[in-house]
Amino acid sequence: MSICRRVRARRNEAPSPVLTTLTVRNFRRYLIGQLTSNIGTWMQRAAQDLLVLHLTDNSGSAVGIVTALQFLPQTLFGLTGGVLADRFPKRRLLLITQTAMAAQSLLLGVLTVTGAVNLPSVYALAFALGTATAMDTPARNAFISELVARERVPAAVSLNSAQFNIARTLGPAMAGLTVAVAGTGPVFLVNAASYLAVLYGLMTIRPAELSNPGPRRHGGTRLRDAFHHITSTPDLLLPITLIGFVGTFGLNFQVTTSLMAITVFHSGAAAFGYLSAAYATGSLLGALRGAGRGQLPTAQRLITATVVFGTLEAVLGLMPGYGTFLALLIPTGFASVTVTTTANSLTQLHADPRLRGRVMSVYFLVLLGGTPIGAPLVGLASDTLGARSTLILAGIVSAASALALPALVRARTRRLDRINQPIAQADAPLTDTPGPALSGKGPTNQSTT
């Protein structure tokens, strides 16, 4: 009985990683601001699609164009955002980018409310928002490592993922209600107002309490330094390469679930909405679970999580009915967020603080930049082989990459070590070791003087 009491006492004494991370004043203010702003952002994404449909008499291609324009800058300018994140203080950079994003939402809201909005203006503002986001993303994610101590980074990354998934769940629903009552214009104005929360959080952060921001560089922030750092550091090369494969082939659920709902289960938009909600629920649970672990991530955990995710995705393609497919999406969403948060944490923890902004820009380039490649491939595979086969193949690619890449990275590291070892020995300074004298100042001459 006394042993049980001692176990309970230890559990009671050990604070939750979530609670201890939330006690950090800077991170707490940052997180609340991000949650508020992201809810508004997801509201705007839903309302923007509805606005484009209204302006074009329900043109699906127009919705595709506006979405592409909003995400294209991530591929074009994402690496530049990483350079800026390492060259300037991240807090100052975020104040600028978040203000620019708020201005875009405000202008779109005013144009819509006054009836002056048209399709070209929506396209232009979507591209402007995407450009600001590309500048914002590396700094916003790298800033997490400065808000908390090193041992709290995994919990902070998971909590940040949790707020994102909460916003992704609440935002579209709130947008639907607002559009039904007041139209699309007020949604954009609400989003513009939501940026006040994140701006207030950033302005009230105490710079003196930031953890290890690293020395500031006002020049010499070259992208090739980040690529060299990644390729020469196995603890960075593995998660970034692996997340590139998973992001390109495995994380296309917006495409695959819609295809399964319509072409396999012959259901409608409501059924697709339920599938999206199930996946989002699993993602939220995975993020909260990751925040509660309180353990530093390891490469082995990333490999295991990716194999589990790939297996679940492949099994999804074998589900016989809509109900079983929906149920399995919950653990699949859980596994997918475990993969992304573990890879994100590993990247942040092993990146040189002086290069972290550029390293994170490469991470998000391979995670998000692969979507324009992977999504058409998924669509082509579905047209050729069917939606079920597409899911199975995507899962196999994700699991196989997790099993193969660690061995390839280890082999590459050993090969580089063999190449560099003779160079290091040749460059090593001479020491007074026993052996023949190389000059008149050797031990032999000293003994005869």
Side-chain angles (χ1 to χ4, degrees):
M1 191 70 176
S2 59
I3 295 177
C4 294
R5 288 175 179 171
R6 284 198 296 270
V7 171
R8 291 195 199 100
R10 289 193 191 100
R11 288 178 178 174
N12 292 333
E13 290 172 3
S16 165
V18 174
L19 295 178
T20 55
T21 304
L22 289 175
T23 59
V24 180
R25 177 186 180 275
N26 282 348
F27 177 74
R28 186 174 63 251
R29 290 181 173 240
Y30 172 86
L31 189 70
I32 293 172
Q34 286 294 318
L35 174 60
T36 305
S37 177
N38 276 331
I39 291 174
T41 297
W42 281 101
M43 290 179 67
Q44 172 157 323
R45 286 185 183 178
Q48 179 178 268
D49 291 346
L50 294 174
L51 175 62
V52 170
L53 290 173
H54 173 72
L55 293 173
T56 60
D57 292 328
N58 299 325
S59 170
S61 60
V63 174
I65 292 172
V66 77
T67 302
L69 287 170
Q70 188 164 325
F71 286 94
L72 179 62
Q74 179 65 46
T75 303
L76 298 177
F77 310 125
L79 295 177
T80 303
V83 172
L84 295 176
D86 285 335
R87 183 169 295 181
F88 303 106
K90 297 178 183 63
R91 175 170 166 268
R92 185 188 307 166
L93 181 61
L94 289 173
L95 285 169
I96 295 172
T97 56
Q98 294 286 323
T99 300
M101 294 157 76
Q104 182 272 349
S105 300
L106 179 62
L107 180 56
L108 182 57
V110 171
L111 289 175
T112 306
V113 170
T114 59
V117 69
N118 54 36
L119 193 59
S121 65
V122 177
Y123 284 166
L125 289 172
F127 187 81
L129 177 61
T131 302
T133 303
M135 300 295 105
D136 178 90
T137 299
R140 177 163 40 84
N141 284 273
F143 194 43
I144 293 175
S145 295
E146 299 183 15
L147 292 169
V148 297
R150 175 182 173 84
E151 64 274 10
R152 292 177 177 171
V153 168
V157 170
S158 294
L159 283 170
N160 190 52
S161 178
Q163 65 84 13
F164 176 84
N165 283 286
I166 290 172
R168 183 172 66 172
T169 303
L170 295 179
M174 295 174 65
L177 293 174
T178 306
V179 170
V181 173
T184 56
V187 174
F188 305 135
L189 297 178
V190 168
N191 183 37
S194 73
Y195 284 99
L196 295 175
V198 70
L199 291 173
Y200 174 79
L202 289 169
M203 287 187 292
T204 56
I205 281 175
R206 296 170 181 168
E209 296 178 8
L210 295 176
S211 301
N212 191 27
R216 296 295 172 200
R217 288 187 176 186
H218 296 284
T221 47
R222 301 173 302 183
L223 276 173
R224 67 181 181 183
D225 293 335
F227 285 110
H228 176 72
H229 181 43
I230 292 168
T231 55
S232 62
T233 308
D235 290 327
L236 287 175
L237 184 60
L238 176 61
I240 290 178
T241 306
L242 183 55
I243 207 65
F245 277 93
V246 175
T248 301
F249 299 103
L251 295 177
N252 284 293
F253 282 96
Q254 284 297 108
V255 178
T256 52
T257 54
S258 62
L259 290 170
M260 288 291 291
I262 295 171
T263 65
V264 176
F265 301 125
H266 306 290
S267 53
F272 169 63
Y274 295 141
L275 295 179
S276 299
Y279 183 80
T281 300
S283 300
L284 176 58
L285 293 175
L288 293 175
R289 178 70 178 94
R293 291 181 67 94
Q295 299 175 352
L296 292 178
T298 63
Q300 185 58 52
R301 188 182 305 161
L302 174 62
I303 294 166
T304 302
T306 307
V307 171
V308 171
F309 165 72
T311 303
L312 287 171
E313 185 172 20
V315 174
L316 270 173
L318 303 174
M319 287 297 98
Y322 177 85
T324 54
F325 185 84
L326 183 146
L328 193 60
L329 273 174
I330 296 176
T332 305
F334 186 104
S336 71
V337 166
T338 303
V339 172
T340 54
T341 56
T342 304
N344 189 318
S345 298
L346 281 171
T347 304
Q348 298 222 34
L349 289 171
H350 291 289
D352 186 326
R354 297 168 298 178
L355 302 168
R356 187 176 287 128
R358 280 164 285 174
V359 170
M360 292 307 297
S361 71
V362 175
Y363 173 88
F364 281 101
L365 178 65
V366 301
L367 174 61
L368 304 176
T371 301
I373 300 173
L377 289 176
V378 168
L380 179 62
S382 178
D383 292 340
T384 306
L385 304 173
R388 288 188 182 278
S389 297
T390 301
L391 274 171
I392 295 171
L393 287 174
I396 290 174
V397 169
S398 296
S401 63
L403 295 173
L405 283 174
L408 294 175
V409 170
R410 285 194 298 268
R412 182 181 185 277
T413 302
R414 287 195 296 266
R415 186 169 64 253
L416 290 177
D417 288 342
R418 286 196 298 268
I419 294 172
N420 293 330
Q421 187 174 9
I423 299 174
Q425 291 176 348
D427 291 340
L430 297 176
T431 57
D432 291 337
T433 56
L438 298 178
S439 69
K441 296 182 180 181
T444 302
N445 283 345
Q446 287 179 1
S447 64
T448 59
T449 55

